[in-house]
Short mmCIF file of all heavy atoms in Angstrom, two decimals:
data_model
loop_
_atom_site.label_atom_id
_atom_site.label_comp_id
_atom_site.label_asym_id
_atom_site.label_seq_id
_atom_site.Cartn_x
_atom_site.Cartn_y
_atom_site.Cartn_z
N LYS F 4 67.74 138.11 281.84
CA LYS F 4 68.83 138.43 282.52
C LYS F 4 69.97 138.85 281.68
O LYS F 4 70.20 138.27 280.65
CB LYS F 4 69.38 137.12 283.34
CG LYS F 4 68.90 137.07 284.83
CD LYS F 4 69.78 136.02 285.52
CE LYS F 4 69.14 135.85 286.98
NZ LYS F 4 69.75 134.58 287.56
N VAL F 5 70.64 139.97 281.97
CA VAL F 5 71.77 140.39 281.20
C VAL F 5 72.89 140.64 282.15
O VAL F 5 72.72 140.83 283.45
CB VAL F 5 71.44 141.75 280.39
CG1 VAL F 5 70.52 141.43 279.22
CG2 VAL F 5 70.82 142.81 281.37
N LEU F 6 74.12 140.62 281.69
CA LEU F 6 75.31 140.77 282.54
C LEU F 6 75.70 142.23 282.33
O LEU F 6 76.12 142.58 281.27
CB LEU F 6 76.38 139.75 282.04
CG LEU F 6 77.62 139.78 282.90
CD1 LEU F 6 77.27 139.17 284.31
CD2 LEU F 6 78.77 138.92 282.31
N LYS F 8 77.61 145.98 284.00
CA LYS F 8 78.37 146.57 284.98
C LYS F 8 77.45 147.43 285.75
O LYS F 8 76.38 147.99 285.23
CB LYS F 8 79.25 147.80 284.24
CG LYS F 8 80.64 147.15 284.05
CD LYS F 8 81.57 148.48 283.88
CE LYS F 8 83.02 148.11 283.72
NZ LYS F 8 84.02 149.08 283.83
N THR F 31 86.05 159.35 287.59
CA THR F 31 86.20 157.93 287.94
C THR F 31 85.76 157.66 289.43
O THR F 31 86.09 158.58 290.13
CB THR F 31 87.71 157.50 287.71
OG1 THR F 31 88.20 157.87 286.47
CG2 THR F 31 87.84 156.10 287.80
N PRO F 32 85.13 156.57 289.64
CA PRO F 32 84.75 155.53 288.95
C PRO F 32 83.27 155.38 288.62
O PRO F 32 82.63 154.34 288.87
CB PRO F 32 85.11 154.27 289.86
CG PRO F 32 84.82 154.92 291.30
CD PRO F 32 84.89 156.33 291.14
N MET F 106 81.30 156.23 295.38
CA MET F 106 82.32 156.74 296.22
C MET F 106 83.72 156.17 295.96
O MET F 106 83.91 155.08 295.56
CB MET F 106 82.02 156.49 297.66
CG MET F 106 80.83 157.18 298.36
SD MET F 106 80.61 156.73 299.90
CE MET F 106 79.65 155.13 299.74
N ILE F 115 91.08 156.49 293.51
CA ILE F 115 89.87 156.15 292.73
C ILE F 115 89.26 154.76 293.07
O ILE F 115 88.29 154.34 292.45
CB ILE F 115 90.08 156.21 291.21
CG1 ILE F 115 91.31 155.29 290.81
CG2 ILE F 115 90.48 157.62 290.84
CD1 ILE F 115 91.50 155.21 289.40
N GLN F 116 89.92 154.05 294.04
CA GLN F 116 89.34 152.82 294.39
C GLN F 116 88.12 152.95 295.39
O GLN F 116 87.89 154.00 296.11
CB GLN F 116 90.44 152.07 295.20
CG GLN F 116 91.69 151.82 294.22
CD GLN F 116 91.25 151.14 292.88
OE1 GLN F 116 90.42 150.36 292.78
NE2 GLN F 116 91.78 151.59 291.68
N PRO F 117 87.30 151.97 295.63
CA PRO F 117 86.03 151.99 296.34
C PRO F 117 86.27 152.35 297.79
O PRO F 117 87.21 151.91 298.42
CB PRO F 117 85.54 150.52 296.28
CG PRO F 117 86.28 149.87 295.14
CD PRO F 117 87.58 150.51 294.95
N GLY F 171 82.85 152.45 294.19
CA GLY F 171 83.50 152.01 292.96
C GLY F 171 83.35 150.59 292.59
O GLY F 171 83.17 150.22 291.50
N MET F 172 83.22 149.74 293.60
CA MET F 172 83.10 148.35 293.38
C MET F 172 81.68 147.98 292.77
O MET F 172 81.60 147.27 291.74
CB MET F 172 83.32 147.48 294.67
CG MET F 172 83.26 145.98 294.28
SD MET F 172 83.62 145.02 295.68
CE MET F 172 85.32 145.32 296.01
N GLN F 175 81.70 149.24 289.17
CA GLN F 175 82.57 148.59 288.22
C GLN F 175 82.23 147.22 287.99
O GLN F 175 82.57 146.63 286.93
CB GLN F 175 84.01 148.79 288.68
CG GLN F 175 84.58 150.14 288.68
CD GLN F 175 84.70 150.84 287.29
OE1 GLN F 175 84.83 150.13 286.37
NE2 GLN F 175 84.33 152.09 287.16
N MET F 176 81.79 146.58 288.88
CA MET F 176 81.45 145.16 288.69
C MET F 176 80.33 144.78 287.84
O MET F 176 79.36 145.58 287.61
CB MET F 176 81.22 144.38 290.17
CG MET F 176 79.80 144.65 290.62
SD MET F 176 79.65 144.12 292.42
CE MET F 176 79.64 142.35 292.24
N MET F 177 80.39 143.59 287.22
CA MET F 177 79.30 143.08 286.41
C MET F 177 78.63 141.91 287.18
O MET F 177 79.32 141.03 287.77
CB MET F 177 79.81 142.41 285.10
CG MET F 177 80.13 143.46 284.03
SD MET F 177 80.46 142.71 282.47
CE MET F 177 80.39 144.02 281.37
N GLU F 178 77.33 141.99 287.19
CA GLU F 178 76.43 140.93 287.69
C GLU F 178 75.24 140.78 286.87
O GLU F 178 74.97 141.69 286.07
CB GLU F 178 76.07 141.20 289.14
CG GLU F 178 77.11 141.07 290.16
CD GLU F 178 76.60 141.22 291.65
OE1 GLU F 178 75.77 142.06 291.88
OE2 GLU F 178 77.00 140.54 292.55
N PRO F 179 74.61 139.66 286.90
CA PRO F 179 73.44 139.51 286.13
C PRO F 179 72.38 140.34 286.80
O PRO F 179 72.23 140.49 287.89
CB PRO F 179 72.98 137.98 286.28
CG PRO F 179 74.23 137.34 286.80
CD PRO F 179 74.94 138.40 287.60
N VAL F 180 71.63 141.06 285.79
CA VAL F 180 70.43 141.92 286.26
C VAL F 180 69.23 141.56 285.36
O VAL F 180 69.32 141.27 284.26
CB VAL F 180 70.81 143.32 286.30
CG1 VAL F 180 71.58 143.77 287.39
CG2 VAL F 180 71.37 143.76 285.01
N LYS F 243 69.73 139.16 308.59
CA LYS F 243 70.03 137.66 308.40
C LYS F 243 70.48 137.14 309.74
O LYS F 243 71.28 137.87 310.45
CB LYS F 243 71.31 137.55 307.44
CG LYS F 243 71.21 136.44 306.45
CD LYS F 243 72.29 136.64 305.48
CE LYS F 243 72.52 135.53 304.46
NZ LYS F 243 73.54 135.87 303.59
N THR F 257 78.84 147.37 299.70
CA THR F 257 79.99 146.44 299.59
C THR F 257 80.43 145.81 300.86
O THR F 257 80.60 144.62 300.97
CB THR F 257 81.16 147.17 298.81
OG1 THR F 257 80.69 147.54 297.48
CG2 THR F 257 82.41 146.22 298.74
N ARG F 260 78.21 143.00 301.76
CA ARG F 260 78.46 141.66 301.20
C ARG F 260 79.58 140.98 301.70
O ARG F 260 79.54 139.78 301.95
CB ARG F 260 78.95 141.97 299.56
CG ARG F 260 77.77 142.52 298.88
CD ARG F 260 78.29 142.85 297.41
NE ARG F 260 78.58 141.61 296.59
CZ ARG F 260 78.00 141.47 295.47
NH1 ARG F 260 77.11 142.35 295.05
NH2 ARG F 260 78.21 140.42 294.88
N ILE F 261 80.68 141.55 302.14
CA ILE F 261 81.82 140.92 302.60
C ILE F 261 81.59 140.50 304.02
O ILE F 261 82.00 139.41 304.49
CB ILE F 261 83.04 141.96 302.62
CG1 ILE F 261 83.19 142.23 301.06
CG2 ILE F 261 84.24 141.26 303.12
CD1 ILE F 261 84.08 143.40 300.84
N ALA F 263 78.78 139.39 305.01
CA ALA F 263 78.02 138.18 304.89
C ALA F 263 78.91 136.98 304.71
O ALA F 263 78.72 135.96 305.28
CB ALA F 263 77.03 138.30 303.71
N SER F 264 79.95 137.17 303.89
CA SER F 264 80.97 136.08 303.82
C SER F 264 81.65 135.72 305.21
O SER F 264 81.74 134.61 305.53
CB SER F 264 82.14 136.53 302.87
OG SER F 264 81.86 136.34 301.65
N GLU F 267 79.38 133.81 307.34
CA GLU F 267 79.43 132.35 306.90
C GLU F 267 80.57 131.63 307.65
O GLU F 267 80.45 130.52 308.19
CB GLU F 267 79.42 132.08 305.46
CG GLU F 267 78.04 132.03 304.86
CD GLU F 267 78.12 131.81 303.45
OE1 GLU F 267 79.07 131.10 302.86
OE2 GLU F 267 77.20 132.30 302.71
N ILE F 336 89.73 147.13 300.69
CA ILE F 336 88.54 146.46 300.91
C ILE F 336 88.66 145.38 302.01
O ILE F 336 89.79 144.58 301.94
CB ILE F 336 88.07 145.63 299.56
CG1 ILE F 336 88.28 146.47 298.38
CG2 ILE F 336 86.71 145.08 299.84
CD1 ILE F 336 87.12 147.35 297.99
N SER F 338 88.67 142.12 304.02
CA SER F 338 88.42 140.80 303.47
C SER F 338 87.54 139.91 304.48
O SER F 338 87.46 140.42 305.69
CB SER F 338 89.75 139.89 303.39
OG SER F 338 90.19 139.66 304.75
N PRO F 339 86.77 139.00 304.07
CA PRO F 339 85.98 138.17 305.06
C PRO F 339 86.83 137.67 306.22
O PRO F 339 86.35 137.77 307.43
CB PRO F 339 85.53 137.13 304.27
CG PRO F 339 85.58 137.54 302.76
CD PRO F 339 86.68 138.45 302.72
N GLU F 340 87.99 137.38 305.97
CA GLU F 340 88.94 136.86 306.95
C GLU F 340 89.16 137.87 308.08
O GLU F 340 89.10 137.56 309.22
CB GLU F 340 90.17 136.22 306.43
CG GLU F 340 90.03 135.05 305.59
CD GLU F 340 89.58 135.33 304.12
OE1 GLU F 340 89.44 136.46 303.79
OE2 GLU F 340 89.10 134.36 303.49
N MET Y 1 78.67 123.20 298.00
CA MET Y 1 78.63 124.35 297.16
C MET Y 1 79.88 124.49 296.21
O MET Y 1 80.90 124.25 296.60
CB MET Y 1 78.62 125.54 298.08
CG MET Y 1 78.63 126.95 297.38
SD MET Y 1 79.03 128.23 298.44
CE MET Y 1 80.80 128.30 298.48
N GLY Y 20 87.26 137.07 280.98
CA GLY Y 20 86.53 137.09 282.21
C GLY Y 20 84.92 137.29 282.01
O GLY Y 20 84.06 136.54 282.52
N ARG Y 21 84.62 138.27 281.02
CA ARG Y 21 83.29 138.49 280.80
C ARG Y 21 82.57 137.33 280.19
O ARG Y 21 81.40 136.98 280.47
CB ARG Y 21 83.20 139.70 279.99
CG ARG Y 21 83.01 141.09 280.78
CD ARG Y 21 83.11 142.28 279.87
NE ARG Y 21 81.96 142.26 278.95
CZ ARG Y 21 82.02 142.79 277.83
NH1 ARG Y 21 83.02 143.44 277.31
NH2 ARG Y 21 80.93 142.71 276.99
N LEU Y 22 83.29 136.69 279.28
CA LEU Y 22 82.86 135.62 278.59
C LEU Y 22 82.46 134.43 279.61
O LEU Y 22 81.48 133.86 279.51
CB LEU Y 22 83.77 135.04 277.48
CG LEU Y 22 83.20 134.14 276.49
CD1 LEU Y 22 82.01 134.69 275.78
CD2 LEU Y 22 84.32 133.87 275.50
N ALA Y 24 81.92 134.78 282.64
CA ALA Y 24 80.83 135.23 283.61
C ALA Y 24 79.58 135.16 283.01
O ALA Y 24 78.41 134.57 283.51
CB ALA Y 24 81.08 136.65 284.03
N TYR Y 25 79.49 135.46 281.63
CA TYR Y 25 78.26 135.35 280.94
C TYR Y 25 77.82 134.00 280.81
O TYR Y 25 76.58 133.73 280.89
CB TYR Y 25 78.53 136.01 279.56
CG TYR Y 25 77.26 136.34 278.74
CD1 TYR Y 25 76.67 137.60 278.89
CD2 TYR Y 25 76.63 135.43 277.99
CE1 TYR Y 25 75.46 137.96 278.35
CE2 TYR Y 25 75.45 135.68 277.25
CZ TYR Y 25 74.92 136.92 277.39
OH TYR Y 25 73.80 137.19 276.68
N MET Y 28 76.29 132.88 283.93
CA MET Y 28 74.89 133.39 284.00
C MET Y 28 73.87 132.61 283.14
O MET Y 28 72.90 132.24 283.65
CB MET Y 28 74.92 134.89 283.57
CG MET Y 28 73.44 135.46 283.58
SD MET Y 28 73.56 137.21 283.04
CE MET Y 28 73.52 136.97 281.24
N ASP Y 31 72.70 129.67 284.73
CA ASP Y 31 71.86 129.97 285.91
C ASP Y 31 72.74 129.93 287.22
O ASP Y 31 72.11 129.65 288.30
CB ASP Y 31 70.61 129.08 286.04
CG ASP Y 31 69.38 129.71 285.33
OD1 ASP Y 31 69.38 130.89 285.31
OD2 ASP Y 31 68.57 128.98 284.86
N ARG Y 32 73.94 130.16 287.02
CA ARG Y 32 74.81 130.23 288.23
C ARG Y 32 74.79 131.67 288.75
O ARG Y 32 74.41 132.65 288.05
CB ARG Y 32 76.17 129.76 287.90
CG ARG Y 32 76.28 128.54 287.06
CD ARG Y 32 76.11 127.32 287.93
NE ARG Y 32 77.22 127.10 288.84
CZ ARG Y 32 78.47 126.67 288.35
NH1 ARG Y 32 78.56 126.29 287.16
NH2 ARG Y 32 79.38 126.49 289.30
N HIS Y 33 75.29 131.81 289.94
CA HIS Y 33 75.53 133.26 290.37
C HIS Y 33 76.95 133.63 289.90
O HIS Y 33 77.82 132.74 289.94
CB HIS Y 33 75.63 133.28 291.85
CG HIS Y 33 74.20 133.10 292.42
ND1 HIS Y 33 73.40 134.24 292.72
CD2 HIS Y 33 73.53 132.05 292.84
CE1 HIS Y 33 72.19 133.76 293.25
NE2 HIS Y 33 72.31 132.48 293.31
N VAL Y 34 77.06 134.87 289.25
CA VAL Y 34 78.46 135.22 288.64
C VAL Y 34 78.57 136.66 289.10
O VAL Y 34 77.74 137.45 289.28
CB VAL Y 34 78.40 135.07 287.16
CG1 VAL Y 34 78.19 133.59 286.78
CG2 VAL Y 34 77.42 136.06 286.54
N SER Y 35 79.89 136.94 289.12
CA SER Y 35 80.27 138.44 289.20
C SER Y 35 81.57 138.55 288.37
O SER Y 35 82.44 137.61 288.26
CB SER Y 35 80.38 138.78 290.68
OG SER Y 35 81.60 138.13 291.25
N TRP Y 36 81.82 139.65 288.00
CA TRP Y 36 82.98 140.10 287.19
C TRP Y 36 83.42 141.51 287.67
O TRP Y 36 82.60 142.41 287.81
CB TRP Y 36 82.56 140.16 285.69
CG TRP Y 36 83.71 140.61 284.74
CD1 TRP Y 36 84.65 139.90 284.09
CD2 TRP Y 36 83.99 141.91 284.45
NE1 TRP Y 36 85.36 140.74 283.32
CE2 TRP Y 36 85.05 142.02 283.49
CE3 TRP Y 36 83.33 143.28 284.77
CZ2 TRP Y 36 85.55 143.20 282.87
CZ3 TRP Y 36 83.86 144.40 284.12
CH2 TRP Y 36 84.95 144.35 283.22
N MET Y 37 84.63 141.53 288.11
CA MET Y 37 85.20 142.75 288.73
C MET Y 37 86.44 143.08 288.17
O MET Y 37 87.40 142.29 288.23
CB MET Y 37 85.26 142.55 290.16
CG MET Y 37 85.72 143.79 290.97
SD MET Y 37 84.51 145.08 291.16
CE MET Y 37 85.64 146.59 291.31
N PRO Y 38 86.47 144.21 287.44
CA PRO Y 38 87.88 144.67 286.72
C PRO Y 38 88.72 145.43 287.68
O PRO Y 38 88.15 146.07 288.73
CB PRO Y 38 87.30 145.56 285.59
CG PRO Y 38 86.02 146.28 286.35
CD PRO Y 38 85.48 145.13 287.19
N SER Y 39 89.94 145.40 287.44
CA SER Y 39 90.72 146.50 288.07
C SER Y 39 90.40 147.83 287.20
O SER Y 39 90.02 147.61 286.08
CB SER Y 39 92.21 146.22 287.92
OG SER Y 39 92.48 146.24 286.49
N TYR Y 40 90.53 148.93 287.75
CA TYR Y 40 90.18 150.15 287.07
C TYR Y 40 91.10 151.19 287.41
O TYR Y 40 91.75 151.24 288.50
CB TYR Y 40 88.68 150.48 287.17
CG TYR Y 40 88.24 150.90 288.51
CD1 TYR Y 40 88.32 152.26 288.93
CD2 TYR Y 40 87.74 150.01 289.40
CE1 TYR Y 40 87.85 152.64 290.22
CE2 TYR Y 40 87.35 150.31 290.67
CZ TYR Y 40 87.37 151.69 291.16
OH TYR Y 40 86.92 151.97 292.27
N GLY Y 41 91.07 152.20 286.63
CA GLY Y 41 91.87 153.44 287.04
C GLY Y 41 93.07 153.54 286.08
O GLY Y 41 93.25 152.78 285.09
N PRO Y 42 93.80 154.70 286.35
CA PRO Y 42 94.97 154.99 285.47
C PRO Y 42 96.04 153.83 285.43
O PRO Y 42 96.88 153.91 284.41
CB PRO Y 42 95.58 156.24 286.02
CG PRO Y 42 94.80 156.50 287.30
CD PRO Y 42 93.82 155.42 287.58
N GLU Y 43 96.07 152.95 286.33
CA GLU Y 43 97.13 151.92 286.26
C GLU Y 43 96.91 151.14 284.92
O GLU Y 43 97.82 150.49 284.55
CB GLU Y 43 97.06 151.07 287.52
CG GLU Y 43 95.80 150.08 287.61
CD GLU Y 43 96.11 149.00 288.55
OE1 GLU Y 43 97.08 148.38 288.60
OE2 GLU Y 43 95.09 148.60 289.29
N LYS Y 58 75.81 129.72 294.89
CA LYS Y 58 75.13 130.56 295.90
C LYS Y 58 75.48 132.06 295.62
O LYS Y 58 76.32 132.41 294.87
CB LYS Y 58 75.70 130.23 297.27
CG LYS Y 58 75.23 128.77 297.64
CD LYS Y 58 75.21 128.45 299.25
CE LYS Y 58 75.72 129.45 300.19
NZ LYS Y 58 75.80 128.91 301.47
N GLU Y 59 74.77 132.79 296.38
CA GLU Y 59 75.08 134.25 296.22
C GLU Y 59 76.54 134.57 296.47
O GLU Y 59 77.01 133.94 297.38
CB GLU Y 59 74.21 135.05 297.28
CG GLU Y 59 72.92 135.76 296.67
CD GLU Y 59 72.25 136.47 297.81
OE1 GLU Y 59 72.84 137.29 298.57
OE2 GLU Y 59 70.93 136.24 297.83
N ILE Y 60 77.01 135.50 295.72
CA ILE Y 60 78.43 135.82 295.89
C ILE Y 60 78.66 136.98 296.83
O ILE Y 60 77.94 138.05 296.62
CB ILE Y 60 78.94 136.23 294.43
CG1 ILE Y 60 78.85 134.99 293.59
CG2 ILE Y 60 80.43 136.71 294.58
CD1 ILE Y 60 79.07 135.32 292.09
N PRO Y 61 79.37 136.80 297.89
CA PRO Y 61 79.40 137.90 298.84
C PRO Y 61 80.35 138.99 298.28
O PRO Y 61 79.84 139.93 297.84
CB PRO Y 61 80.19 137.17 300.07
CG PRO Y 61 80.11 135.68 299.75
CD PRO Y 61 80.11 135.55 298.28
N SER Y 62 81.68 138.70 298.19
CA SER Y 62 82.46 139.85 297.65
C SER Y 62 82.85 139.48 296.29
O SER Y 62 83.33 138.28 296.06
CB SER Y 62 83.78 139.96 298.51
OG SER Y 62 84.69 140.81 297.88
N PRO Y 63 82.90 140.40 295.28
CA PRO Y 63 83.27 140.15 293.99
C PRO Y 63 84.83 140.11 293.79
O PRO Y 63 85.32 139.93 292.74
CB PRO Y 63 82.69 141.31 293.13
CG PRO Y 63 82.63 142.48 294.22
CD PRO Y 63 82.38 141.77 295.48
N LEU Y 64 85.52 140.39 294.93
CA LEU Y 64 86.92 140.31 294.88
C LEU Y 64 87.37 139.22 295.76
O LEU Y 64 86.38 138.63 296.42
CB LEU Y 64 87.55 141.59 295.56
CG LEU Y 64 87.55 142.67 294.66
CD1 LEU Y 64 88.13 144.02 295.33
CD2 LEU Y 64 88.32 142.56 293.40
N SER Y 66 90.66 137.34 297.99
CA SER Y 66 91.79 137.44 298.42
C SER Y 66 92.71 136.28 298.07
O SER Y 66 93.97 136.32 297.84
CB SER Y 66 91.82 137.50 300.12
OG SER Y 66 90.77 136.99 300.62
N VAL Y 155 78.72 138.53 273.78
CA VAL Y 155 79.78 139.17 274.52
C VAL Y 155 80.64 140.03 273.64
O VAL Y 155 81.18 141.04 274.04
CB VAL Y 155 80.47 138.26 275.41
CG1 VAL Y 155 81.70 138.98 276.14
CG2 VAL Y 155 79.57 137.65 276.44
#
Side-chain angles (χ1 to χ4, degrees):
Chain F
K4 264 195 192 166
V5 286
L6 187 68
K8 262 200 178 192
T31 309
M106 290 180 279
I115 57 173
Q116 300 304 320
M172 184 173 292
Q175 294 296 324
M176 74 190 290
M177 280 189 167
E178 285 187 320
V180 280
K243 222 174 173 173
T257 293
R260 288 175 77 118
I261 298 161
S264 275
E267 269 184 35
I336 317 271
S338 70
E340 292 76 16
Chain Y
M1 178 193 86
R21 274 177 53 211
L22 192 56
Y25 193 90
M28 178 181 79
D31 270 333
R32 315 278 294 279
H33 292 270
V34 298
S35 70
W36 174 92
M37 178 74 204
S39 64
Y40 66 91
E43 68 161 321
K58 298 206 347 190
E59 257 179 51
I60 295 165
S62 167
L64 284 177
S66 21
V155 173

